[in-house]
Structure formats: C-alpha cells, structure tokens
Amino acid sequence: VISESIGNLTVGNPDERVADTLRVGTFNLWVENPSHPNTDGIAGLINRVELDYVGVQEVDKNNGRDNRDVLGLIETALDAASETDYLSVYRKTFDFNNGEYGIGQISAVPVKETSSGAYKLHGGEETRVWQRMVVELNGVDVAVYNTNLTYQGTSVEGNRQNIQELVSILDNDPCEYRIVVGDFNASGDDMLPFTKNYDLVNGKDGQWFVTVGLYGENGDGKTGSDSNNAIDNIIVSKNIEVVNKRLVHHGGLSDHHLLYADIKPMTPKAYLQKLVNGCNYSADKYTSASYAFYQNALTTAMEVLASANDDKVNTEVSETAQALLDAINALEEESKTNFALGKEVYVKDMEG
C-alpha cells in the first residue's frame, strides 16, 4: 500500500515518466522487521512506482534470522507481476547467523556488466561493500552503484573513510555518467566530499528528505534544512539532470522510505554550457594563481563551445567540461590579515 500523501507530495500515483529518463531508487529493507521483509509487498511497491533500477540494503540470505533468499524472492515476485524480465544481483557484506547479510541491485533494463568490491577496514567498523551495474540510456553507458556504508554509531571515522573511498571509486570509473544510491548512514556536512563532482538528490539546495522512521513517527517525509535522519540518498555526476525526485511512503514495509529520482544524461555540449553559465566567480575573492587557472579553463571552454556539435558522445567537449570543473574546484579563497583580530580571515567570511 502506498499512502496517499506526504506533506505536499502526492504519492498515490507515480509521477508521469519523462521521455528518455531512467527512474532509479534506493530502499533499505529493514532486516529487523518483526514480520520479516514482505517480499511480495516490496515487489509490488517497485512495480507500482515503475522503477527501472533500485538498490536495496539490509538483505538477509538463508540465515538464522530469515532463512529465505530475500532478494531472489523479490525478483521472482517482480517477474510474476509484469512482462519485464528483471535481473537481481546480490553482494554479500558479511557472514551472519549461519548465513549471509548483504545488499542487492534490481534492474528492469538490460545490464551490460556487473562488479562489486569491499571498502578498506580502518579498525572498529564492520565490513561494508559496494556493487556496480552498467546500463545503457540514450546511447550512453551509465554506471549505477549501490552501497550501505558503516553505521556512524559503530564508527564515525569508518563511515567517513567509506565516503572518501567511494568518491575515489566514482571519480575513477571509466563511465562518463555515474550514479550511486544507498543508505549512507550519513547526511549534512558528512556528505560534502561528494559535492565537488556530484550532486545530491537528497540535500540538494539544502533541502532534505527525512528517510527514516515508521509511518507517523519522527516527522517522516518532511523536507527542510535539518538533515537528521536523511541518510538514504541518490548521488549523480554533474553531467546528469535530475528531472524529478520523490519520497514514497509505503505503509510499513520498512522503517526507511523509498527514495527515487528520474534522471537524464546531458549531452557533453549541454553539460559544458551549464558549467559555463554558472561561472560567475569574482577575481577579488580568490588567489591570483587559482583564478588565472580558472580563467584559462573558462576561455578554453567558451572556445570549444563555439564550434562543438551536440552529439551524445564528444570526447573533446567532455574533457573540456571536466577541466573546467576541476578549475572551479581548485579556486582558492584569498586571505587577508585582519589586524584587529590578529589573524588571517577569508574574504568570503568578511562579507556582511
């Protein structure tokens, strides 16, 4: 059952699909649900919301807490409920109670390749893992990751190390378009490492969806500037447009809510144009060296734009866009000595 509304969000019916978009979601299944995950209900929710892809977390497999193959049962129910041939891929996080515990990916669109890996351990935290699928959308490859990071109650530092490592993995992915979904067990400032090269769906422009809490508890579904309990997220590379985002109340299938977004890869030219349009950085706020580096990248970008075509794949334009983004991220704020305070302060901090 999908509840009829959350605040100003109507969720009884999924949003109309926009052409050439991929609907991706993330859903924590809540392994400690006293009645066990309702696999038929979860499959019904995925089908009802018309997800093309969903990453699921907290997945039991043939263990003493739940002796079922939970992900396999969800895929079986999905296949029975529609004509789509779903693919599910499970990744064990660790052995648990004479069985396994892990995460899973479910795709309704053809998958070109899959892979997975584990994060490095830094002491004090449980093993955590990631998994990756590559799908094709509008003639380009999109890498879609799923993960469930270290619980901060176990190790705050472990969670932060997971994030740093995941950012590096994403940055080095050969696919130009990258998405990661999951339960990050983090929100607010802890998510800042992603924001240089990626956009947060949950938390964009300082607006957060509260994704944890049973129906009617903890203000679930509300949006606002408070990031507490906004730990489920979808993160996309900046060359991907988020056409729509939605939090779905489901009436008790989990203690987390399903978050989804409709995404669409930009052409390299459109992405470069977006970056150029946002270049309103003032020279007096940054060191002369970093600003000169940025200005040179911007000049090159404008020259490339002037003659670029709008093909789906354009290596020169893509590389120019990345160079401009790198230059923007490398801008270094100018500091000035405030003799009254007796210390250096940044120009940005001195503004009224």
Side-chain angles (χ1 to χ4, degrees):
V1 177
I2 304 177
S3 79
E4 67 282 2
S5 65
I6 308 175
N8 64 347
L9 301 177
T10 301
V11 298
N13 294 299
D15 296 291
E16 289 188 15
R17 301 298 298 271
V18 177
D20 300 325
T21 61
L22 188 75
R23 179 162 289 179
V24 300
T26 182
F27 193 37
N28 183 306
L29 303 186
W30 189 31
V31 290
E32 295 183 353
N33 187 333
S35 59
H36 298 302
N38 177 349
T39 54
D40 286 343
I42 293 166
L45 177 65
I46 293 169
N47 187 51
R48 182 74 180 82
V49 180
E50 301 177 2
L51 292 177
D52 296 313
Y53 166 93
V54 61
V56 292
Q57 305 84 40
E58 293 195 17
V59 182
D60 276 336
K61 185 173 183 180
N62 303 325
N63 62 40
R65 179 170 54 197
D66 192 332
N67 62 4
R68 305 173 300 164
D69 177 0
V70 170
L71 186 65
L73 288 173
I74 294 171
E75 181 185 359
T76 298
L78 282 167
D79 288 338
S82 73
E83 297 180 357
T84 301
D85 184 17
Y86 285 86
L87 172 69
S88 68
V89 178
Y90 169 82
R91 163 71 198 213
K92 181 180 78 172
T93 302
F94 48 73
D95 294 322
F96 177 80
N97 201 352
N98 298 315
E100 297 180 1
Y101 168 91
I103 60 177
Q105 295 181 294
I106 302 172
S107 179
V109 297
V111 176
K112 301 180 72 171
E113 61 180 86
T114 65
S115 59
S116 64
Y119 299 107
K120 298 174 184 176
L121 293 176
H122 301 274
E125 75 270 27
E126 300 171 324
T127 299
R128 293 289 168 163
V129 300
W130 54 267
Q131 54 184 172
R132 173 182 181 266
M133 283 182 171
V134 176
V135 301
E136 185 176 320
L137 179 63
N138 305 341
V140 298
D141 287 345
V142 182
V144 191
Y145 288 77
N146 176 42
T147 196
N148 186 7
L149 302 187
T150 297
Y151 176 52
Q152 288 200 352
T154 302
S155 174
V156 172
E157 184 58 28
N159 179 276
R160 291 173 178 170
Q161 292 287 351
N162 288 167
I163 288 175
Q164 293 288 354
E165 189 173 346
L166 179 56
V167 169
S168 178
I169 291 168
L170 293 170
D171 286 349
N172 288 286
D173 193 289
C175 287
E176 189 173 340
Y177 300 92
R178 288 146 283 162
I179 304 168
V180 56
V181 310
D183 177 352
F184 294 84
N185 277 311
S187 58
D189 288 349
D190 284 332
M191 300 296 282
L192 287 176
F194 288 107
T195 58
K196 282 190 174 182
N197 291 325
Y198 306 92
D199 289 328
L200 307 179
V201 169
N202 193 3
K204 186 172 177 57
D205 300 322
Q207 293 297 305
W208 297 88
F209 288 114
V210 177
T211 59
V212 180
L214 292 171
Y215 182 79
E217 298 179 1
N218 301 329
D220 42 347
K222 291 182 179 179
T223 63
S225 58
D226 185 359
S227 62
N228 188 39
N229 285 335
I231 61 176
D232 302 277
N233 220 318
I234 299 168
I235 301 170
V236 301
S237 52
K238 290 183 180 291
N239 54 3
I240 292 177
E241 177 187 1
V242 178
V243 178
N244 179 54
K245 60 182 179 180
R246 179 64 57 91
L247 188 74
V248 179
H249 235 338
H250 47 70
L253 288 172
S254 174
D255 61 342
H256 288 241
H257 306 295
L258 187 153
L259 176 69
Y260 77 77
D262 295 334
I263 65 95
K264 184 176 184 178
M266 303 176 198
T267 63
K269 182 178 181 179
Y271 173 48
L272 182 56
Q273 185 68 67
K274 171 192 168 185
L275 287 177
V276 169
N277 290 347
C279 284
N280 53 0
Y281 303 95
S282 176
D284 62 352
K285 292 185 178 181
Y286 303 98
T287 63
S288 57
S290 68
Y291 193 81
F293 181 64
Y294 153 76
Q295 191 65 52
N296 183 62
L298 177 58
T299 299
T300 300
M302 295 175 70
E303 291 173 351
V304 169
L305 269 178
S307 59
N309 58 47
D310 205 25
D311 292 344
K312 294 177 180 178
V313 178
N314 189 319
T315 302
E316 180 190 15
V317 177
S318 296
E319 291 177 349
T320 302
Q322 187 59 53
L324 178 56
L325 181 60
D326 290 343
I328 292 170
N329 288 330
L331 281 169
E332 182 180 352
E333 290 182 339
E334 184 69 84
S335 63
K336 294 182 179 180
T337 301
N338 185 312
F339 294 100
L341 296 176
K343 62 180 182 180
E344 285 190 338
V345 295
Y346 289 104
V347 172
K348 180 179 179 181
D349 297 327
M350 295 172 64
E351 293 177 344

